[in-house]
Protein backbone atom coordinates (compact mmCIF):
# COMPACT_ATOMS: atom_id res chain seq x y z
CA UNK A 1 0.00 0.00 0.00
CA UNK A 2 1.46 3.32 -1.03
CA UNK A 3 2.13 6.39 1.07
CA UNK A 4 1.54 9.87 -0.29
CA UNK A 5 3.53 12.93 0.73
CA UNK A 6 0.43 14.68 2.03
CA UNK A 7 -2.34 12.69 3.66
CA UNK A 8 -5.63 12.90 1.79
CA UNK A 9 -8.67 13.70 3.91
CA UNK A 10 -11.40 13.53 1.23
CA UNK A 11 -12.42 11.83 -2.00
CA UNK A 12 -13.35 14.21 -4.80
CA UNK A 13 -16.65 13.02 -6.24
CA UNK A 14 -17.54 12.99 -9.92
CA UNK A 15 -19.47 16.23 -9.54
CA UNK A 16 -16.41 17.90 -8.02
CA UNK A 17 -17.73 17.68 -4.47
CA UNK A 18 -15.22 16.66 -1.82
CA UNK A 19 -16.50 14.02 0.59
CA UNK A 20 -14.44 13.46 3.78
CA UNK A 21 -12.77 10.07 4.15
CA UNK A 22 -14.05 9.74 7.72
CA UNK A 23 -17.80 10.11 8.07
CA UNK A 24 -20.36 9.06 10.64
CA UNK A 25 -22.35 5.85 10.93
CA UNK A 26 -25.73 5.58 12.65
CA UNK A 27 -26.19 1.85 13.20
CA UNK A 28 -27.92 1.33 16.60
CA UNK A 29 -29.02 4.96 16.76
CA UNK A 30 -32.69 5.80 17.19
CA UNK A 31 -33.41 2.76 19.35
CA UNK A 32 -33.83 4.54 22.69
CA UNK A 33 -35.84 7.75 23.09
CA UNK A 34 -33.70 8.65 26.11
CA UNK A 35 -30.60 8.87 23.89
CA UNK A 36 -32.21 10.84 21.05
CA UNK A 37 -30.84 14.29 21.86
CA UNK A 38 -27.39 12.91 22.70
CA UNK A 39 -27.29 11.13 19.33
CA UNK A 40 -28.44 14.25 17.47
CA UNK A 41 -25.79 16.36 19.21
CA UNK A 42 -23.09 13.79 18.43
CA UNK A 43 -23.87 13.93 14.70
CA UNK A 44 -23.98 17.73 14.72
CA UNK A 45 -20.63 17.91 16.51
CA UNK A 46 -19.23 15.55 13.89
CA UNK A 47 -20.47 17.85 11.13
CA UNK A 48 -18.81 20.81 12.82
CA UNK A 49 -15.55 18.83 12.99
CA UNK A 50 -15.66 18.09 9.26
CA UNK A 51 -17.27 14.64 9.23
CA UNK A 52 -20.07 15.76 6.93
CA UNK A 53 -20.68 12.31 5.40
CA UNK A 54 -23.44 10.55 7.35
CA UNK A 55 -24.60 7.00 6.64
CA UNK A 56 -27.93 5.57 7.71
CA UNK A 57 -30.53 3.03 6.53
CA UNK A 58 -34.22 2.31 6.70
CA UNK A 59 -33.30 -0.86 8.62
CA UNK A 60 -31.62 0.95 11.51
CA UNK A 61 -34.21 1.05 14.29
CA UNK A 62 -36.82 0.62 11.52
CA UNK A 63 -36.42 4.23 10.44
CA UNK A 64 -35.52 5.56 13.87
CA UNK A 65 -31.93 6.31 12.88
CA UNK A 66 -33.13 8.24 9.82
CA UNK A 67 -35.28 10.37 12.12
CA UNK A 68 -32.20 11.13 14.23
CA UNK A 69 -30.32 12.09 11.06
CA UNK A 70 -33.20 14.25 9.93
CA UNK A 71 -33.10 16.23 13.16
CA UNK A 72 -29.32 16.52 13.01
CA UNK A 73 -29.21 17.86 9.43
CA UNK A 74 -32.03 20.36 9.86
CA UNK A 75 -30.79 23.78 8.78
CA UNK A 76 -27.54 22.37 7.35
CA UNK A 77 -28.70 19.92 4.71
CA UNK A 78 -26.59 21.45 1.95
CA UNK A 79 -23.42 20.93 4.00
CA UNK A 80 -24.04 17.22 4.55
CA UNK A 81 -23.38 14.26 2.23
CA UNK A 82 -26.31 11.98 3.03
CA UNK A 83 -26.23 8.21 2.46
CA UNK A 84 -29.11 5.83 3.16
CA UNK A 85 -29.91 2.24 2.27
CA UNK A 86 -32.92 0.19 1.21
CA UNK A 87 -33.86 -3.31 2.34
CA UNK A 88 -33.29 -6.05 -0.27
CA UNK A 89 -37.03 -6.85 -0.31
CA UNK A 90 -37.69 -3.25 -1.36
CA UNK A 91 -35.23 -3.45 -4.24
CA UNK A 92 -37.62 -3.56 -7.21
CA UNK A 93 -38.80 -0.39 -8.96
CA UNK A 94 -42.00 0.09 -6.95
CA UNK A 95 -40.42 -0.98 -3.67
CA UNK A 96 -37.46 1.36 -4.06
CA UNK A 97 -39.75 4.28 -4.89
CA UNK A 98 -41.82 3.69 -1.75
CA UNK A 99 -38.84 3.02 0.50
CA UNK A 100 -36.97 6.06 -0.73
CA UNK A 101 -40.00 8.31 -0.26
CA UNK A 102 -40.42 7.05 3.30
CA UNK A 103 -36.72 7.66 4.03
CA UNK A 104 -36.90 11.18 2.59
CA UNK A 105 -39.92 11.93 4.76
CA UNK A 106 -38.22 10.66 7.93
CA UNK A 107 -35.13 12.74 7.19
CA UNK A 108 -37.03 15.84 6.10
CA UNK A 109 -35.12 16.20 2.83
CA UNK A 110 -35.95 16.20 -0.86
CA UNK A 111 -33.05 13.99 -1.89
CA UNK A 112 -30.30 11.71 -0.67
CA UNK A 113 -26.81 12.05 -2.10
CA UNK A 114 -26.18 8.30 -2.21
CA UNK A 115 -28.79 5.53 -2.01
CA UNK A 116 -27.63 1.96 -1.54
CA UNK A 117 -29.00 -1.55 -1.83
CA UNK A 118 -28.28 -2.74 1.74
CA UNK A 119 -27.44 -6.29 0.73
CA UNK A 120 -28.39 -8.62 -2.08
CA UNK A 121 -31.71 -10.43 -1.81
CA UNK A 122 -33.96 -12.31 -4.24
CA UNK A 123 -34.86 -9.40 -6.52
CA UNK A 124 -32.77 -9.40 -9.72
CA UNK A 125 -30.07 -6.74 -9.82
CA UNK A 126 -31.46 -5.59 -13.16
CA UNK A 127 -34.71 -4.51 -11.47
CA UNK A 128 -32.77 -2.74 -8.71
CA UNK A 129 -30.75 -0.80 -11.27
CA UNK A 130 -33.94 0.26 -13.05
CA UNK A 131 -35.44 1.44 -9.78
CA UNK A 132 -32.31 3.35 -8.81
CA UNK A 133 -32.04 5.01 -12.22
CA UNK A 134 -35.69 6.07 -12.05
CA UNK A 135 -35.10 7.68 -8.65
CA UNK A 136 -32.07 9.47 -10.02
CA UNK A 137 -34.04 10.78 -13.00
CA UNK A 138 -36.66 12.10 -10.57
CA UNK A 139 -34.02 13.88 -8.50
CA UNK A 140 -34.82 11.84 -5.38
CA UNK A 141 -31.27 10.52 -5.30
CA UNK A 142 -28.06 11.98 -6.72
CA UNK A 143 -26.14 8.69 -6.97
CA UNK A 144 -26.73 5.05 -6.15
CA UNK A 145 -24.59 2.15 -5.05
CA UNK A 146 -24.60 -1.16 -3.22
CA UNK A 147 -23.56 -2.68 0.09
CA UNK A 148 -22.24 -6.12 1.00
CA UNK A 149 -21.70 -7.21 -2.61
CA UNK A 150 -18.68 -9.41 -3.32
CA UNK A 151 -16.57 -9.41 -6.48
CA UNK A 152 -18.75 -11.89 -8.38
CA UNK A 153 -21.84 -9.81 -7.56
CA UNK A 154 -20.08 -6.65 -8.75
CA UNK A 155 -19.04 -8.35 -11.98
CA UNK A 156 -22.65 -9.36 -12.59
CA UNK A 157 -23.83 -5.83 -11.81
CA UNK A 158 -21.22 -4.39 -14.15
CA UNK A 159 -22.47 -6.55 -17.03
CA UNK A 160 -26.03 -5.18 -16.82
CA UNK A 161 -27.51 -2.14 -18.51
CA UNK A 162 -26.61 0.96 -16.44
CA UNK A 163 -24.77 -1.25 -13.95
CA UNK A 164 -21.65 0.84 -14.38
CA UNK A 165 -23.53 3.75 -12.79
CA UNK A 166 -22.97 2.06 -9.42
CA UNK A 167 -20.99 4.66 -7.49
CA UNK A 168 -19.86 2.86 -4.33
CA UNK A 169 -19.80 -0.49 -2.52
CA UNK A 170 -20.14 -0.37 1.26
CA UNK A 171 -18.56 -3.39 2.97
CA UNK A 172 -17.13 -4.44 6.31
CA UNK A 173 -13.42 -3.63 6.45
CA UNK A 174 -10.86 -3.17 9.19
CA UNK A 175 -7.35 -4.38 9.93
CA UNK A 176 -8.61 -7.63 11.47
CA UNK A 177 -10.93 -8.30 8.52
CA UNK A 178 -8.99 -7.81 5.28
CA UNK A 179 -10.62 -10.34 2.97
CA UNK A 180 -11.68 -7.71 0.43
CA UNK A 181 -8.01 -6.98 -0.30
CA UNK A 182 -7.63 -10.28 -2.15
CA UNK A 183 -10.01 -9.55 -5.02
CA UNK A 184 -12.88 -7.14 -4.28
CA UNK A 185 -10.77 -4.10 -3.42
CA UNK A 186 -8.44 -4.50 -6.44
CA UNK A 187 -11.49 -4.95 -8.69
CA UNK A 188 -13.10 -1.84 -7.20
CA UNK A 189 -9.97 0.23 -7.79
CA UNK A 190 -9.61 -1.01 -11.36
CA UNK A 191 -13.22 -0.10 -12.13
CA UNK A 192 -13.27 3.18 -10.24
CA UNK A 193 -15.83 2.15 -7.61
CA UNK A 194 -14.84 3.58 -4.22
CA UNK A 195 -15.27 1.39 -1.15
CA UNK A 196 -16.98 2.60 2.00
CA UNK A 197 -15.88 0.69 5.11
CA UNK A 198 -18.41 0.01 7.81
CA UNK A 199 -17.31 -1.21 11.25
CA UNK A 200 -13.84 0.30 10.56
CA UNK A 201 -12.83 -0.21 14.19
CA UNK A 202 -14.65 -3.56 14.39
CA UNK A 203 -17.73 -2.16 16.13
CA UNK A 204 -20.02 -4.97 17.04
CA UNK A 205 -17.60 -7.52 15.62
CA UNK A 206 -16.10 -10.50 17.38
CA UNK A 207 -12.60 -9.28 16.57
CA UNK A 208 -12.95 -5.84 18.22
CA UNK A 209 -11.00 -6.83 21.33
CA UNK A 210 -8.35 -8.57 19.26
CA UNK A 211 -7.89 -5.51 17.07
CA UNK A 212 -7.89 -2.63 19.54
CA UNK A 213 -6.07 -4.43 22.35
CA UNK A 214 -3.34 -5.93 20.17
CA UNK A 215 0.09 -4.80 21.47
CA UNK A 216 1.08 -3.46 18.04
CA UNK A 217 -2.00 -1.23 17.85
CA UNK A 218 -1.45 -0.09 21.42
CA UNK A 219 2.22 0.69 20.79
CA UNK A 220 1.59 2.58 17.54
CA UNK A 221 -1.18 4.55 19.24
CA UNK A 222 1.16 5.48 22.09
CA UNK A 223 3.82 6.67 19.65
CA UNK A 224 1.28 9.07 18.09
CA UNK A 225 -0.28 10.05 21.39
CA UNK A 226 -3.69 8.77 20.25
CA UNK A 227 -6.00 5.80 20.89
CA UNK A 228 -5.90 2.38 19.19
CA UNK A 229 -9.31 3.18 17.68
CA UNK A 230 -7.80 6.20 15.96
CA UNK A 231 -4.96 4.08 14.59
CA UNK A 232 -7.53 1.57 13.29
CA UNK A 233 -9.35 4.40 11.50
CA UNK A 234 -6.15 5.91 10.10
CA UNK A 235 -5.24 2.46 8.75
CA UNK A 236 -8.57 2.04 6.90
CA UNK A 237 -8.19 5.40 5.08
CA UNK A 238 -4.42 5.08 4.59
CA UNK A 239 -4.54 5.03 0.78
CA UNK A 240 -6.98 7.90 0.36
CA UNK A 241 -9.60 5.99 -1.63
CA UNK A 242 -11.62 4.18 1.07
CA UNK A 243 -14.20 5.91 3.23
CA UNK A 244 -14.69 4.95 6.88
CA UNK A 245 -17.98 5.48 8.71
CA UNK A 246 -17.49 4.86 12.45
CA UNK A 247 -20.41 5.40 14.79
CA UNK A 248 -19.97 7.47 17.94
CA UNK A 249 -22.32 9.02 20.47
CA UNK A 250 -19.94 10.17 23.22
CA UNK A 251 -18.40 13.56 22.50
CA UNK A 252 -14.88 12.29 23.17
CA UNK A 253 -15.30 9.50 20.63
CA UNK A 254 -16.66 11.90 18.01
CA UNK A 255 -13.62 14.14 18.49
CA UNK A 256 -11.25 11.16 18.32
CA UNK A 257 -12.80 9.95 15.06
CA UNK A 258 -12.47 13.37 13.45
CA UNK A 259 -8.85 13.75 14.57
CA UNK A 260 -7.93 10.34 13.10
CA UNK A 261 -8.16 11.83 9.60
CA UNK A 262 -4.85 13.64 10.11
CA UNK A 263 -2.86 10.68 11.46
CA UNK A 264 -0.11 9.60 9.06
CA UNK A 265 1.09 6.03 9.60
CA UNK A 266 4.70 5.40 8.63
CA UNK A 267 5.70 2.58 6.24
CA UNK A 268 7.26 0.82 9.23
CA UNK A 269 4.01 1.03 11.20
CA UNK A 270 2.01 -0.25 8.24
CA UNK A 271 4.41 -3.18 8.01
CA UNK A 272 3.94 -3.90 11.71
CA UNK A 273 0.17 -3.97 11.25
CA UNK A 274 0.59 -6.28 8.23
CA UNK A 275 2.60 -8.67 10.40
CA UNK A 276 0.04 -8.56 13.21
CA UNK A 277 -2.97 -8.83 10.86
CA UNK A 278 -1.70 -10.40 7.61
CA UNK A 279 -3.39 -9.55 4.32
CA UNK A 280 -5.28 -12.46 2.69
CA UNK A 281 -3.44 -14.96 0.52
CA UNK A 282 -6.61 -16.61 -0.83
CA UNK A 283 -10.25 -15.86 -1.48
CA UNK A 284 -12.35 -15.44 1.67
CA UNK A 285 -16.13 -15.18 2.14
CA UNK A 286 -17.27 -11.57 2.36
CA UNK A 287 -17.34 -10.60 6.04
CA UNK A 288 -20.63 -9.12 7.24
CA UNK A 289 -22.33 -8.16 10.48
Amino acid sequence: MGQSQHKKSAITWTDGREVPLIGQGTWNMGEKASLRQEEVRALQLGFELGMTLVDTAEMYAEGGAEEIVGEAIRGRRDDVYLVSKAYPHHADRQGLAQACEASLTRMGTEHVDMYLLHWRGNIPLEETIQGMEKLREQGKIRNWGVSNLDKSDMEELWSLSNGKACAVNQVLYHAASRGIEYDLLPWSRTHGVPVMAYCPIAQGGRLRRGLLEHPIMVDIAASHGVTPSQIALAWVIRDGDVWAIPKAVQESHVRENAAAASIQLTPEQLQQIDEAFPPPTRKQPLDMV
Side-chain angles (χ1 to χ4, degrees), residues 162-214:
N162 291 319
K164 293 181 176 65
C166 175
V168 73
N169 187 10
Q170 185 182 118
V171 294
L172 187 150
Y173 182 51
H174 53 75
S177 180
R178 302 180 63 170
I180 67 168
E181 292 178 20
Y182 184 77
D183 56 355
L184 178 59
L185 187 55
W187 185 95
S188 300
R189 285 173 168 158
T190 298
H191 293 83
V193 182
V195 164
M196 189 176 291
Y198 72 82
C199 293
I201 52 177
Q203 303 103 308
R206 58 187 172 83
L207 291 172
R208 177 184 175 89
R209 184 175 296 273
L211 174 63
L212 301 185
E213 295 188 358
H214 193 284

Side-chain angles (χ1 to χ4, degrees), residues 1-285:
M1 296 293 178
Q3 283 287 294
S4 58
Q5 189 73 24
H6 301 287
K7 185 173 179 63
K8 285 181 63 177
S9 61
I11 293 177
T12 301
W13 202 243
T14 51
D15 59 5
R17 187 174 180 183
E18 284 199 342
V19 183
L21 285 174
I22 296 181
Q24 302 185 87
T26 61
W27 185 29
N28 294 326
M29 285 190 180
E31 295 183 350
K32 295 182 180 178
S34 60
L35 294 177
R36 184 182 183 95
Q37 290 311 308
E38 185 180 1
E39 291 169 345
V40 169
R41 285 195 299 269
L43 291 175
Q44 291 176 335
L45 174 60
F47 298 152
E48 291 160 10
L49 295 172
M51 295 187 295
T52 51
L53 163 65
V54 62
D55 173 83
T56 190
E58 65 170 333
M59 186 189 82
Y60 301 163
E62 291 300 321
E66 289 181 324
E67 292 176 357
I68 297 292
V69 170
E71 190 170 341
I73 67 175
R74 195 171 301 146
R76 62 180 90 198
R77 172 66 186 93
D78 291 344
D79 300 326
V80 173
Y81 193 87
L82 183 58
V83 182
S84 193
K85 300 184 282 293
Y87 274 120
H89 57 269
H90 290 160
D92 59 6
R93 286 183 60 151
Q94 182 177 355
L96 280 175
Q98 294 172 344
C100 183
E101 199 62 49
S103 291
L104 294 175
T105 299
R106 284 189 289 267
M107 294 186 287
T109 185
E110 295 181 350
H111 76 278
V112 293
D113 297 289
M114 182 73 70
Y115 197 43
L116 309 181
L117 169 66
H118 206 151
W119 66 92
R120 189 170 184 180
N122 296 323
I123 293 172
L125 290 175
E126 192 168 19
E127 289 186 39
T128 301
I129 294 170
Q130 292 171 357
M132 291 291 194
E133 286 295 312
K134 184 67 174 178
L135 288 171
R136 189 161 67 156
E137 290 168 11
Q138 294 171 339
K140 301 290 180 69
I141 67 175
R142 296 285 171 82
N143 295 285
W144 64 268
V146 295
S147 181
N148 296 304
L149 263 62
D150 208 345
K151 178 177 176 255
S152 59
D153 300 307
M154 293 302 295
E155 289 174 332
E156 180 183 344
L157 184 75
W158 219 243
S159 72
L160 300 172
S161 177
N162 291 319
K164 293 181 176 65
C166 175
V168 73
N169 187 10
Q170 185 182 118
V171 294
L172 187 150
Y173 182 51
H174 53 75
S177 180
R178 302 180 63 170
I180 67 168
E181 292 178 20
Y182 184 77
D183 56 355
L184 178 59
L185 187 55
W187 185 95
S188 300
R189 285 173 168 158
T190 298
H191 293 83
V193 182
V195 164
M196 189 176 291
Y198 72 82
C199 293
I201 52 177
Q203 303 103 308
R206 58 187 172 83
L207 291 172
R208 177 184 175 89
R209 184 175 296 273
L211 174 63
L212 301 185
E213 295 188 358
H214 193 284
I216 289 297
M217 301 297 281
V218 173
D219 288 348
I220 294 174
S223 72
H224 284 269
V226 300
T227 67
S229 293
Q230 288 175 291
I231 296 301
L233 273 180
W235 182 87
V236 168
I237 65 167
R238 65 198 181 282
D239 289 314
D241 62 352
V242 175
W243 281 296
I245 46 171
K247 176 240 182 181
V249 175
Q250 294 182 13
E251 178 181 339
S252 60
H253 291 163
V254 175
R255 293 187 181 278
E256 285 177 7
N257 290 347
S262 62
I263 297 171
Q264 181 87 41
L265 298 173
T266 68
E268 292 76 20
Q269 289 168 340
L270 291 172
Q271 180 62 34
Q272 287 179 307
I273 293 172
D274 280 349
E275 291 170 0
F277 301 98
T281 56
R282 56 181 175 79
K283 174 66 181 172
Q284 298 178 9

